[in-house]
Amino acid sequence: MPANDATQPRLQPLAVLTTTRQMSRLCYSRDGAQLFAAGRDGLVHFWNLPPNGFPATESASKNDLPEQPPLSGHNGWVTSLEVSPDGSRLITADSWGRLTCRELASPERPVIWDLPEAHTGWLRQAVFTVGGSQVITCGLDGRIRVWSVVDGSLFKEFVGGGEDLYSLACHPDGETLVAGDLKGSIHRWRISDGSRLQTYDAAEFFKLSFIQEVGGVRTLAFSPDGSVLAAGGCVPENGGFVQGIPCLRLLNVTTGELIQSLRLGDNQEGFVHQVLPHPSGCWMGVCSGQPGKGKVFLHRTGEAGPFCLNSEPLANCHSLALHPSAAQLAILANSGTFGQQKSMAREGNYPGNTSPVHVFGLPI
């Protein structure tokens, strides 16, 4: 993997938004006017953004924008959130299995429908279908469920492979989806009837370490033309305080053939937590591993390594979101040198952690 030297394109720091809690996921509104963050305090946080994104400056500025009053209604960590293709609705999910749909056109962003037990236990991911008429979810219970956007009624349910499901992605054809599980299997399903069409291999993402099952397919995404499937996770070396090498697998959607397995660092770097396609044809992703470790990368399918890496480490990156202009990227990281706050329990105060949002201009 090439070093990030002076000859490589660089991410341009534009802004840093401070937070009061730790966050797990980001997404922009379809017009780029808001940025939403899934809070590990059971709240959905958001900011109103400058028109056309942040202007280019010599250095990133902090505290430019105040956070808006957050949206409540979840019990546990908010684990997933996404805006509908037409920009009218926001779906959010949590670690207690709750799924909620909100109306974004109204300033109050009222709840349209709410399913307290959409899944049994941890709801890992919720996504809209390509046309936006349905919401698809998966979770710890190994189920994939398809819901109506209109009223939250259940359209279809099918077993996603029998394992803890971590990730989902809808194919651009609007007819199929993929789901990735704990043990490194990725299944492709037809949405209309729930039939399983194909299985892709990501077994290197799983390890049984003594009695601990480690790994999982943490993120999935299709290329804009639907020909390539990107799967992110790590190649785990041990359990406990997990050590593993972040890995991006690129697969031919039609044949299932492995195009490339890209390892992004050493065993301190952890998981590829999210990967997204850029309209220009490259992949964008973030990694998080041992405290203080973090990576943002841009990669073109088939090249020996990323053509762009963040020049300064970002601690424990967990999510990224692409601005609708495709020119700016928001990254969730952790605060502090080591990605965690020092315990102040002796003084009677334990502040926990926060997740600053770093906004970059893209060199694409």
Side-chain angles (χ1 to χ4, degrees):
M1 184 174 65
N4 193 3
D5 57 29
T7 65
Q8 281 195 300
R10 303 274 182 143
L11 298 170
Q12 180 185 11
L14 299 178
V16 181
L17 306 178
T18 58
T19 63
T20 57
R21 292 291 186 271
Q22 198 163 4
M23 310 289 172
S24 59
R25 204 78 167 181
L26 285 175
C27 74
Y28 280 99
S29 61
R30 295 297 173 180
D31 60 3
Q34 286 90 35
L35 179 65
F36 297 95
R40 291 184 175 174
D41 54 358
L43 301 174
V44 177
H45 302 258
F46 71 99
W47 297 261
N48 292 328
L49 303 179
N52 304 314
F54 289 94
T57 57
E58 291 185 3
S59 61
S61 55
K62 294 185 178 181
N63 300 315
D64 280 344
L65 297 177
E67 184 181 320
Q68 299 301 304
L71 308 176
S72 61
H74 282 284
N75 303 103
W77 292 1
V78 182
T79 55
S80 184
L81 76 173
E82 185 168 311
V83 175
S84 62
D86 67 1
S88 67
R89 301 197 175 186
L90 174 72
I91 51 167
T92 55
D94 71 26
S95 58
W96 286 24
R98 188 179 216 110
L99 180 67
T100 297
C101 181
R102 292 178 178 271
E103 175 62 60
L104 289 181
S106 169
E108 293 77 21
R109 296 172 177 83
V111 173
I112 301 170
W113 49 262
D114 176 51
L115 305 174
E117 296 180 350
H119 283 262
T120 303
W122 204 292
L123 203 165
R124 300 283 191 189
Q125 192 167 3
V127 300
F128 283 96
T129 53
V130 173
S133 63
Q134 296 169 323
V135 175
I136 302 177
T137 59
C138 71
L140 178 65
D141 56 11
R143 304 281 171 171
I144 297 171
R145 294 189 170 119
V146 185
W147 313 89
S148 165
V149 170
V150 175
D151 58 9
S153 58
L154 183 64
F155 170 73
K156 189 165 292 296
E157 173 186 286
F158 43 100
V159 176
E163 302 292 343
D164 184 359
L165 295 175
Y166 277 89
S167 51
L168 287 173
C170 289
H171 192 274
D173 65 9
E175 298 178 358
T176 61
L177 66 89
V178 287
D181 69 20
L182 169 65
K183 293 189 175 178
S185 292
I186 304 166
H187 301 294
R188 188 179 183 190
W189 306 82
R190 183 181 290 117
I191 297 172
S192 61
D193 61 10
S195 58
R196 190 186 305 186
L197 305 176
Q198 200 170 3
T199 298
Y200 304 93
D201 175 39
E204 65 179 332
F205 289 173
F206 175 76
K207 182 180 181 66
L208 178 62
S209 179
F210 296 97
I211 62 171
Q212 184 182 7
E213 295 180 319
V214 182
V217 182
R218 299 303 177 106
T219 180
L220 290 166
F222 286 102
S223 60
D225 66 0
S227 65
V228 179
L229 172 64
C234 87
V235 181
E237 294 188 356
N238 60 271
F241 195 64
V242 178
Q243 290 182 298
I245 302 169
C247 183
L248 180 69
R249 287 178 69 85
L250 301 174
L251 300 149
N252 182 299
V253 170
T254 302
T255 66
E257 177 184 1
L258 177 66
I259 299 170
Q260 186 174 18
S261 179
L262 181 69
R263 298 194 178 190
L264 294 147
D266 58 30
N267 67 1
Q268 301 292 302
E269 304 285 354
F271 293 88
V272 175
H273 274 286
Q274 192 175 5
V275 64
L276 294 174
H278 189 274
S280 68
C282 73
W283 300 100
M284 310 170 293
V286 291
C287 305
S288 174
Q290 302 299 318
K293 295 285 188 176
K295 190 178 265 102
V296 182
F297 65 89
L298 306 180
H299 176 69
R300 297 186 184 96
T301 302
E303 293 187 357
F307 66 87
C308 180
L309 291 167
N310 52 300
S311 55
E312 297 295 331
L314 289 178
N316 303 93
C317 304
H318 278 79
S319 183
L320 73 164
L322 182 64
H323 189 272
S325 68
Q328 297 185 7
L329 192 66
I331 305 290
L332 266 185
N334 276 358
S335 63
T337 303
F338 297 104
Q340 56 190 8
Q341 294 281 19
K342 179 182 176 182
S343 172
M344 303 294 290
R346 294 174 190 170
E347 292 79 19
N349 176 34
Y350 184 78
N353 206 348
T354 64
S355 297
V357 180
H358 298 259
V359 182
F360 295 97
L362 287 169
I364 301 173

PDB file of all heavy atoms in Angstrom, residues 203-209 213-216 233-239 242-246 267 270-271:
ATOM      1  N   ALA A 203     -15.275 -15.065   4.070  1.00  0.00           N
ATOM      2  CA  ALA A 203     -14.939 -15.860   5.250  1.00  0.00           C
ATOM      3  C   ALA A 203     -13.727 -15.326   5.985  1.00  0.00           C
ATOM      4  O   ALA A 203     -13.568 -15.580   7.185  1.00  0.00           O
ATOM      5  CB  ALA A 203     -14.701 -17.314   4.840  1.00  0.00           C
ATOM      6  N   GLU A 204     -12.852 -14.565   5.320  1.00  0.00           N
ATOM      7  CA  GLU A 204     -11.680 -14.022   6.003  1.00  0.00           C
ATOM      8  C   GLU A 204     -12.064 -12.978   7.053  1.00  0.00           C
ATOM      9  O   GLU A 204     -11.248 -12.586   7.874  1.00  0.00           O
ATOM     10  CB  GLU A 204     -10.691 -13.432   4.999  1.00  0.00           C
ATOM     11  CG  GLU A 204     -11.188 -12.219   4.227  1.00  0.00           C
ATOM     12  CD  GLU A 204     -10.124 -11.681   3.269  1.00  0.00           C
ATOM     13  OE1 GLU A 204      -8.926 -11.853   3.547  1.00  0.00           O
ATOM     14  OE2 GLU A 204     -10.499 -11.083   2.245  1.00  0.00           O
ATOM     15  N   PHE A 205     -13.328 -12.547   7.040  1.00  0.00           N
ATOM     16  CA  PHE A 205     -13.808 -11.575   8.016  1.00  0.00           C
ATOM     17  C   PHE A 205     -14.231 -12.218   9.342  1.00  0.00           C
ATOM     18  O   PHE A 205     -14.739 -11.514  10.224  1.00  0.00           O
ATOM     19  CB  PHE A 205     -15.005 -10.794   7.469  1.00  0.00           C
ATOM     20  CG  PHE A 205     -14.686  -9.818   6.372  1.00  0.00           C
ATOM     21  CD1 PHE A 205     -15.704  -9.165   5.707  1.00  0.00           C
ATOM     22  CD2 PHE A 205     -13.381  -9.547   5.999  1.00  0.00           C
ATOM     23  CE1 PHE A 205     -15.435  -8.255   4.695  1.00  0.00           C
ATOM     24  CE2 PHE A 205     -13.094  -8.646   4.989  1.00  0.00           C
ATOM     25  CZ  PHE A 205     -14.119  -7.993   4.341  1.00  0.00           C
ATOM     26  N   PHE A 206     -14.032 -13.524   9.503  1.00  0.00           N
ATOM     27  CA  PHE A 206     -14.522 -14.211  10.712  1.00  0.00           C
ATOM     28  C   PHE A 206     -13.432 -15.082  11.322  1.00  0.00           C
ATOM     29  O   PHE A 206     -12.630 -15.702  10.618  1.00  0.00           O
ATOM     30  CB  PHE A 206     -15.732 -15.078  10.382  1.00  0.00           C
ATOM     31  CG  PHE A 206     -16.216 -15.915  11.541  1.00  0.00           C
ATOM     32  CD1 PHE A 206     -16.931 -15.341  12.572  1.00  0.00           C
ATOM     33  CD2 PHE A 206     -15.918 -17.270  11.603  1.00  0.00           C
ATOM     34  CE1 PHE A 206     -17.364 -16.103  13.655  1.00  0.00           C
ATOM     35  CE2 PHE A 206     -16.352 -18.047  12.672  1.00  0.00           C
ATOM     36  CZ  PHE A 206     -17.077 -17.456  13.700  1.00  0.00           C
ATOM     37  N   LYS A 207     -13.437 -15.135  12.662  1.00  0.00           N
ATOM     38  CA  LYS A 207     -12.538 -16.035  13.384  1.00  0.00           C
ATOM     39  C   LYS A 207     -13.214 -16.493  14.670  1.00  0.00           C
ATOM     40  O   LYS A 207     -13.842 -15.684  15.373  1.00  0.00           O
ATOM     41  CB  LYS A 207     -11.228 -15.329  13.731  1.00  0.00           C
ATOM     42  CG  LYS A 207     -10.208 -16.223  14.457  1.00  0.00           C
ATOM     43  CD  LYS A 207      -8.945 -15.430  14.768  1.00  0.00           C
ATOM     44  CE  LYS A 207      -7.909 -16.299  15.479  1.00  0.00           C
ATOM     45  NZ  LYS A 207      -7.401 -17.391  14.619  1.00  0.00           N
ATOM     46  N   LEU A 208     -13.102 -17.777  14.962  1.00  0.00           N
ATOM     47  CA  LEU A 208     -13.504 -18.307  16.259  1.00  0.00           C
ATOM     48  C   LEU A 208     -12.269 -18.310  17.138  1.00  0.00           C
ATOM     49  O   LEU A 208     -11.352 -19.108  16.942  1.00  0.00           O
ATOM     50  CB  LEU A 208     -14.083 -19.709  16.124  1.00  0.00           C
ATOM     51  CG  LEU A 208     -14.507 -20.383  17.442  1.00  0.00           C
ATOM     52  CD1 LEU A 208     -15.609 -19.589  18.134  1.00  0.00           C
ATOM     53  CD2 LEU A 208     -14.958 -21.822  17.183  1.00  0.00           C
ATOM     54  N   SER A 209     -12.218 -17.369  18.092  1.00  0.00           N
ATOM     55  CA  SER A 209     -11.064 -17.236  18.974  1.00  0.00           C
ATOM     56  C   SER A 209     -11.439 -17.815  20.329  1.00  0.00           C
ATOM     57  O   SER A 209     -12.142 -17.174  21.119  1.00  0.00           O
ATOM     58  CB  SER A 209     -10.686 -15.750  19.094  1.00  0.00           C
ATOM     59  OG  SER A 209      -9.585 -15.567  19.958  1.00  0.00           O
ATOM     60  N   GLU A 213     -16.696 -15.484  19.007  1.00  0.00           N
ATOM     61  CA  GLU A 213     -16.843 -15.299  17.568  1.00  0.00           C
ATOM     62  C   GLU A 213     -16.555 -13.842  17.228  1.00  0.00           C
ATOM     63  O   GLU A 213     -17.219 -12.939  17.748  1.00  0.00           O
ATOM     64  CB  GLU A 213     -18.244 -15.691  17.120  1.00  0.00           C
ATOM     65  CG  GLU A 213     -18.528 -17.177  17.328  1.00  0.00           C
ATOM     66  CD  GLU A 213     -19.916 -17.587  16.889  1.00  0.00           C
ATOM     67  OE1 GLU A 213     -20.852 -16.809  17.160  1.00  0.00           O
ATOM     68  OE2 GLU A 213     -20.061 -18.667  16.287  1.00  0.00           O
ATOM     69  N   VAL A 214     -15.572 -13.630  16.363  1.00  0.00           N
ATOM     70  CA  VAL A 214     -15.056 -12.288  16.102  1.00  0.00           C
ATOM     71  C   VAL A 214     -15.189 -11.960  14.619  1.00  0.00           C
ATOM     72  O   VAL A 214     -14.896 -12.801  13.762  1.00  0.00           O
ATOM     73  CB  VAL A 214     -13.572 -12.179  16.510  1.00  0.00           C
ATOM     74  CG1 VAL A 214     -13.060 -10.766  16.284  1.00  0.00           C
ATOM     75  CG2 VAL A 214     -13.379 -12.601  17.954  1.00  0.00           C
ATOM     76  N   GLY A 215     -15.603 -10.740  14.319  1.00  0.00           N
ATOM     77  CA  GLY A 215     -15.557 -10.278  12.925  1.00  0.00           C
ATOM     78  C   GLY A 215     -16.896  -9.797  12.432  1.00  0.00           C
ATOM     79  O   GLY A 215     -17.595  -9.025  13.076  1.00  0.00           O
ATOM     80  N   GLY A 216     -17.265 -10.269  11.229  1.00  0.00           N
ATOM     81  CA  GLY A 216     -18.521  -9.883  10.609  1.00  0.00           C
ATOM     82  C   GLY A 216     -18.329  -8.974   9.416  1.00  0.00           C
ATOM     83  O   GLY A 216     -17.350  -8.239   9.302  1.00  0.00           O
ATOM     84  N   GLY A 233     -14.758  -5.161   6.430  1.00  0.00           N
ATOM     85  CA  GLY A 233     -14.677  -5.794   7.740  1.00  0.00           C
ATOM     86  C   GLY A 233     -13.235  -5.797   8.188  1.00  0.00           C
ATOM     87  O   GLY A 233     -12.486  -4.871   7.916  1.00  0.00           O
ATOM     88  N   CYS A 234     -12.819  -6.860   8.859  1.00  0.00           N
ATOM     89  CA  CYS A 234     -11.408  -6.996   9.205  1.00  0.00           C
ATOM     90  C   CYS A 234     -11.028  -8.464   9.160  1.00  0.00           C
ATOM     91  O   CYS A 234     -11.891  -9.357   9.211  1.00  0.00           O
ATOM     92  CB  CYS A 234     -11.094  -6.387  10.568  1.00  0.00           C
ATOM     93  SG  CYS A 234     -11.322  -7.459  12.000  1.00  0.00           S
ATOM     94  N   VAL A 235      -9.726  -8.713   9.036  1.00  0.00           N
ATOM     95  CA  VAL A 235      -9.181 -10.067   9.137  1.00  0.00           C
ATOM     96  C   VAL A 235      -8.724 -10.223  10.586  1.00  0.00           C
ATOM     97  O   VAL A 235      -7.638  -9.779  10.958  1.00  0.00           O
ATOM     98  CB  VAL A 235      -8.014 -10.271   8.160  1.00  0.00           C
ATOM     99  CG1 VAL A 235      -7.486 -11.693   8.254  1.00  0.00           C
ATOM    100  CG2 VAL A 235      -8.445  -9.960   6.722  1.00  0.00           C
ATOM    101  N   PRO A 236      -9.575 -10.814  11.453  1.00  0.00           N
ATOM    102  CA  PRO A 236      -9.263 -10.838  12.889  1.00  0.00           C
ATOM    103  C   PRO A 236      -8.156 -11.830  13.213  1.00  0.00           C
ATOM    104  O   PRO A 236      -8.071 -12.913  12.632  1.00  0.00           O
ATOM    105  CB  PRO A 236     -10.589 -11.258  13.530  1.00  0.00           C
ATOM    106  CG  PRO A 236     -11.335 -11.976  12.457  1.00  0.00           C
ATOM    107  CD  PRO A 236     -10.871 -11.437  11.152  1.00  0.00           C
ATOM    108  N   GLU A 237      -7.300 -11.433  14.176  1.00  0.00           N
ATOM    109  CA  GLU A 237      -6.215 -12.302  14.616  1.00  0.00           C
ATOM    110  C   GLU A 237      -6.492 -12.907  15.977  1.00  0.00           C
ATOM    111  O   GLU A 237      -5.953 -13.949  16.312  1.00  0.00           O
ATOM    112  CB  GLU A 237      -4.894 -11.525  14.644  1.00  0.00           C
ATOM    113  CG  GLU A 237      -4.440 -11.101  13.250  1.00  0.00           C
ATOM    114  CD  GLU A 237      -3.040 -10.498  13.257  1.00  0.00           C
ATOM    115  OE1 GLU A 237      -2.456 -10.346  14.360  1.00  0.00           O
ATOM    116  OE2 GLU A 237      -2.531 -10.185  12.165  1.00  0.00           O
ATOM    117  N   ASN A 238      -7.312 -12.249  16.782  1.00  0.00           N
ATOM    118  CA  ASN A 238      -7.638 -12.773  18.101  1.00  0.00           C
ATOM    119  C   ASN A 238      -8.895 -12.113  18.629  1.00  0.00           C
ATOM    120  O   ASN A 238      -9.355 -11.092  18.090  1.00  0.00           O
ATOM    121  CB  ASN A 238      -6.484 -12.531  19.082  1.00  0.00           C
ATOM    122  CG  ASN A 238      -6.170 -11.056  19.255  1.00  0.00           C
ATOM    123  OD1 ASN A 238      -5.364 -10.513  18.510  1.00  0.00           O
ATOM    124  ND2 ASN A 238      -6.815 -10.400  20.217  1.00  0.00           N
ATOM    125  N   GLY A 239      -9.454 -12.705  19.677  1.00  0.00           N
ATOM    126  CA  GLY A 239     -10.629 -12.145  20.315  1.00  0.00           C
ATOM    127  C   GLY A 239     -10.238 -11.274  21.483  1.00  0.00           C
ATOM    128  O   GLY A 239      -9.165 -10.677  21.501  1.00  0.00           O
ATOM    129  N   VAL A 242     -10.147  -7.050  20.503  1.00  0.00           N
ATOM    130  CA  VAL A 242      -9.925  -7.587  19.156  1.00  0.00           C
ATOM    131  C   VAL A 242      -8.815  -6.842  18.414  1.00  0.00           C
ATOM    132  O   VAL A 242      -8.779  -5.614  18.370  1.00  0.00           O
ATOM    133  CB  VAL A 242     -11.223  -7.516  18.325  1.00  0.00           C
ATOM    134  CG1 VAL A 242     -10.974  -8.028  16.914  1.00  0.00           C
ATOM    135  CG2 VAL A 242     -12.316  -8.323  19.006  1.00  0.00           C
ATOM    136  N   GLN A 243      -7.911  -7.614  17.842  1.00  0.00           N
ATOM    137  CA  GLN A 243      -6.908  -7.102  16.922  1.00  0.00           C
ATOM    138  C   GLN A 243      -7.183  -7.702  15.549  1.00  0.00           C
ATOM    139  O   GLN A 243      -7.447  -8.896  15.427  1.00  0.00           O
ATOM    140  CB  GLN A 243      -5.501  -7.461  17.373  1.00  0.00           C
ATOM    141  CG  GLN A 243      -5.039  -6.718  18.616  1.00  0.00           C
ATOM    142  CD  GLN A 243      -3.626  -7.083  18.986  1.00  0.00           C
ATOM    143  OE1 GLN A 243      -3.330  -8.233  19.286  1.00  0.00           O
ATOM    144  NE2 GLN A 243      -2.741  -6.095  18.978  1.00  0.00           N
ATOM    145  N   GLY A 244      -7.121  -6.862  14.525  1.00  0.00           N
ATOM    146  CA  GLY A 244      -7.369  -7.350  13.179  1.00  0.00           C
ATOM    147  C   GLY A 244      -6.949  -6.329  12.144  1.00  0.00           C
ATOM    148  O   GLY A 244      -6.790  -5.138  12.441  1.00  0.00           O
ATOM    149  N   ILE A 245      -6.779  -6.793  10.918  1.00  0.00           N
ATOM    150  CA  ILE A 245      -6.355  -5.947   9.813  1.00  0.00           C
ATOM    151  C   ILE A 245      -7.594  -5.524   9.030  1.00  0.00           C
ATOM    152  O   ILE A 245      -8.357  -6.373   8.564  1.00  0.00           O
ATOM    153  CB  ILE A 245      -5.401  -6.703   8.875  1.00  0.00           C
ATOM    154  CG1 ILE A 245      -4.178  -7.185   9.648  1.00  0.00           C
ATOM    155  CG2 ILE A 245      -4.989  -5.819   7.696  1.00  0.00           C
ATOM    156  CD1 ILE A 245      -3.321  -8.169   8.869  1.00  0.00           C
ATOM    157  N   PRO A 246      -7.849  -4.215   8.883  1.00  0.00           N
ATOM    158  CA  PRO A 246      -9.021  -3.793   8.111  1.00  0.00           C
ATOM    159  C   PRO A 246      -8.897  -4.260   6.669  1.00  0.00           C
ATOM    160  O   PRO A 246      -7.824  -4.219   6.077  1.00  0.00           O
ATOM    161  CB  PRO A 246      -8.995  -2.260   8.217  1.00  0.00           C
ATOM    162  CG  PRO A 246      -7.594  -1.916   8.573  1.00  0.00           C
ATOM    163  CD  PRO A 246      -7.060  -3.063   9.361  1.00  0.00           C
ATOM    164  N   ASN A 267      -2.466  -4.974  12.255  1.00  0.00           N
ATOM    165  CA  ASN A 267      -3.512  -5.540  13.115  1.00  0.00           C
ATOM    166  C   ASN A 267      -3.968  -4.611  14.223  1.00  0.00           C
ATOM    167  O   ASN A 267      -4.784  -4.997  15.060  1.00  0.00           O
ATOM    168  CB  ASN A 267      -3.058  -6.885  13.695  1.00  0.00           C
ATOM    169  CG  ASN A 267      -1.897  -6.740  14.679  1.00  0.00           C
ATOM    170  OD1 ASN A 267      -1.430  -5.632  14.954  1.00  0.00           O
ATOM    171  ND2 ASN A 267      -1.419  -7.858  15.187  1.00  0.00           N
ATOM    172  N   GLY A 270      -7.958  -2.439  12.931  1.00  0.00           N
ATOM    173  CA  GLY A 270      -9.334  -2.859  13.176  1.00  0.00           C
ATOM    174  C   GLY A 270     -10.196  -3.042  11.948  1.00  0.00           C
ATOM    175  O   GLY A 270      -9.784  -3.640  10.955  1.00  0.00           O
ATOM    176  N   PHE A 271     -11.427  -2.518  11.991  1.00  0.00           N
ATOM    177  CA  PHE A 271     -12.465  -2.782  10.993  1.00  0.00           C
ATOM    178  C   PHE A 271     -12.597  -1.656   9.969  1.00  0.00           C
ATOM    179  O   PHE A 271     -12.435  -0.484  10.304  1.00  0.00           O
ATOM    180  CB  PHE A 271     -13.825  -2.937  11.676  1.00  0.00           C
ATOM    181  CG  PHE A 271     -13.965  -4.149  12.537  1.00  0.00           C
ATOM    182  CD1 PHE A 271     -13.592  -4.118  13.874  1.00  0.00           C
ATOM    183  CD2 PHE A 271     -14.482  -5.331  12.021  1.00  0.00           C
ATOM    184  CE1 PHE A 271     -13.734  -5.237  14.671  1.00  0.00           C
ATOM    185  CE2 PHE A 271     -14.618  -6.456  12.814  1.00  0.00           C
ATOM    186  CZ  PHE A 271     -14.242  -6.412  14.145  1.00  0.00           C
TER     187      PHE A 271
END
